[in-house]
Structures are given as structure tokens and as C-alpha cells.
Amino acid sequence: VSQGAHPPPLLFCLPTVTSEQIEHLHRRFKQLSRDQLTIRKENFDSIPDLEFNPIRGKIVHAFFDKRNLRQESDGLADEINFEDFLTIMSYFRPIEMNMDEEQLDRFRKEKLKFLFHMYDSDHDGKITLQEYRNVVEELLSGNPHLEKDSARSIADGAMMEAASICVGQMGPDQVYEGITFEDFLKMWQGIDIETKMHVRFLNMETIAHCY
């Protein structure tokens, strides 16, 4: 996208977003990039909503994760352009009323894959139970009404629940290596991720929140 030009046509990954929303996202992109052609990690430092977010690092990391950018290679990108930005935003798009069951299932899995990558920080395709517990505790640490001991207890309970779902499916002679994406899907079964995964990029003063 050249500076001052209109954004590119609607991308395949954002089929329900209007041209007005694309324009809005393009303005947000230019604001974040300071009118440059790409955004780098340091551009997120000036975003108020991220400053005190307990998982700020993981959110920023997710924007540069090549798996989320739908690139074949692994690792992190040094910078993202506007098309990359739209690709990331596609994970936060709302449900369409005319989606059939198959489309809804694919839609849900895409959102959960994005979250899975946030937990799987070493890119090995698995999340250890301790890593899962740590992320839960980090998320809870941002609640000013929750004491540290209470947050730790809830995180411990979440880890034990994950273990009962994942480890409980294994045979006695198998070695547990971590939560796979298939396990992750089972852990989130029954949770309305379709409407709970929000983004505030359309507000020019704020950034993404995932909860």
C-alpha cells in the first residue's frame, strides 16, 4: 500500500468486512505505522490499551507469528504490511448470520488456532501443562479485584482440568508431551469463543483485547 493511496480491494480472508471498515482499518494501520508501509513490534509501545495488559508480550508476538500470517515458514516476521494486518484482523471478525454448520466449525477452529499459537510460544506444536497454567495466571494477574493467591489457585485448577482432559485420554505406557491442538479444541468445547474473542482496532484510540 503506497502512502496516501486507498487500501487494496477486499481480501479473501475478510469476506464480510465492508469497504468502510477496510478504510477504517487502513487509517488505523497508518496511525500505528506512523505513515510507514509496515508495522514493527516497537510500534505497539505507544498503544494505551496494551501498556498494562498482563499478556501484552504474547499479543504483540501473535501479530508477528508467521503461523498466524498464514505463511508456510515458522518463526516471527520482523515487520508486517497492511495485507498482513488484515490477515491478523480476520481472526477477530464476527459471526455471519448465514454461516452453515461447516463454516461455523471452520470459523471457530481458526480463532482457537490463533489462541493456541499464543500459548505455544516455542512453536513446537504443543503446550505443556505448566505453560498453560502460566498463561492463565498471567491473564488473571490483570484483575485488580483478585488476590495473587486466588489467581494462583484458579490457575492451578485450570491446569488440573486441562490434565484431566488431555492426560486422561492416554494409555498407561504413554508419555505425555503436551497439549496438542486437538486437545486444545476439547478443552474449549462448550465455550463461546465465537463471541468472546474481541478486537478494538476499529477504535482509533485502542488496540486488541482477547478474552
Side-chain angles (χ1 to χ4, degrees), residues 1 27 35 37 40 55 59 69 83 86-88 127 129 140 142 148 152 170 184:
V1 180
R27 291 196 300 272
D35 286 329
L37 296 179
R40 302 181 69 86
I55 59 167
I59 292 173
L69 294 171
E83 288 192 10
L86 288 182
T87 297
I88 293 295
I127 307 163
L129 288 172
L140 295 173
K148 287 185 178 180
R152 190 173 296 113
M170 297 177 58
F184 199 71

Side-chain angles (χ1 to χ4, degrees), residues 156-207:
D156 286 341
M159 181 179 69
M160 295 304 295
E161 184 177 357
S164 68
I165 294 172
C166 305
V167 183
Q169 302 168 10
M170 297 177 58
D173 57 343
Q174 291 179 287
V175 177
Y176 183 72
E177 296 180 352
I179 300 168
T180 64
F181 182 61
E182 288 70 26
D183 292 332
F184 199 71
L185 289 176
K186 291 171 185 172
M187 289 164 55
W188 284 79
Q189 189 172 1
I191 299 175
D192 186 17
I193 188 63
E194 293 89 340
T195 58
K196 292 184 182 300
M197 192 166 162
H198 301 294
V199 68
R200 295 182 181 178
F201 261 115
L202 292 181
N203 182 340
M204 297 298 282
E205 301 300 324
T206 56
I207 193 88

Side-chain angles (χ1 to χ4, degrees), residues 10-151:
L10 209 60
L11 299 181
F12 72 93
C13 60
L14 290 168
T16 64
V17 177
T18 66
S19 58
E20 182 179 355
Q21 289 173 319
I22 291 285
E23 291 280 355
H24 201 134
L25 286 170
H26 188 242
R27 291 196 300 272
R28 185 62 172 126
F29 178 86
K30 290 180 67 178
Q31 182 188 51
L32 286 172
S33 68
R34 299 174 185 173
D35 286 329
Q36 299 300 307
L37 296 179
T38 60
I39 292 176
R40 302 181 69 86
K41 294 183 184 68
E42 53 265 29
N43 292 120
F44 286 83
D45 293 338
S46 61
I47 300 172
D49 276 4
L50 276 184
E51 185 177 357
F52 301 108
N53 193 302
I55 59 167
R56 176 190 181 282
K58 285 183 171 57
I59 292 173
V60 175
H61 185 98
F63 272 78
F64 295 86
D65 190 328
K66 290 183 178 180
R67 297 172 299 179
N68 294 334
L69 294 171
R70 299 189 176 119
Q71 298 179 6
E72 293 184 4
S73 55
D74 197 1
L76 296 177
D78 294 326
E79 54 190 13
I80 58 174
N81 59 27
F82 182 60
E83 288 192 10
D84 295 329
F85 183 73
L86 288 182
T87 297
I88 293 295
M89 295 311 300
S90 72
Y91 293 100
F92 297 91
R93 67 190 186 274
I95 293 176
E96 298 175 50
M97 298 304 294
N98 61 347
M99 281 183 172
D100 59 30
E101 188 173 337
E102 183 179 346
Q103 290 172 322
L104 280 171
D105 183 62
R106 185 167 61 250
F107 177 83
R108 176 181 174 81
K109 285 181 179 178
E110 285 180 359
K111 286 180 177 286
L112 287 174
K113 179 69 80 171
F114 184 90
L115 289 182
F116 182 81
H117 292 159
M118 287 183 64
Y119 284 81
D120 178 26
S121 56
D122 61 0
H123 296 221
D124 68 349
K126 291 185 175 126
I127 307 163
T128 68
L129 288 172
Q130 187 60 43
E131 285 174 337
Y132 181 75
R133 180 202 174 281
N134 290 343
V135 173
V136 173
E137 188 170 5
E138 285 177 18
L139 282 167
L140 295 173
S141 69
N143 188 335
H145 306 293
L146 196 63
E147 295 182 356
K148 287 185 178 180
D149 288 344
S150 298

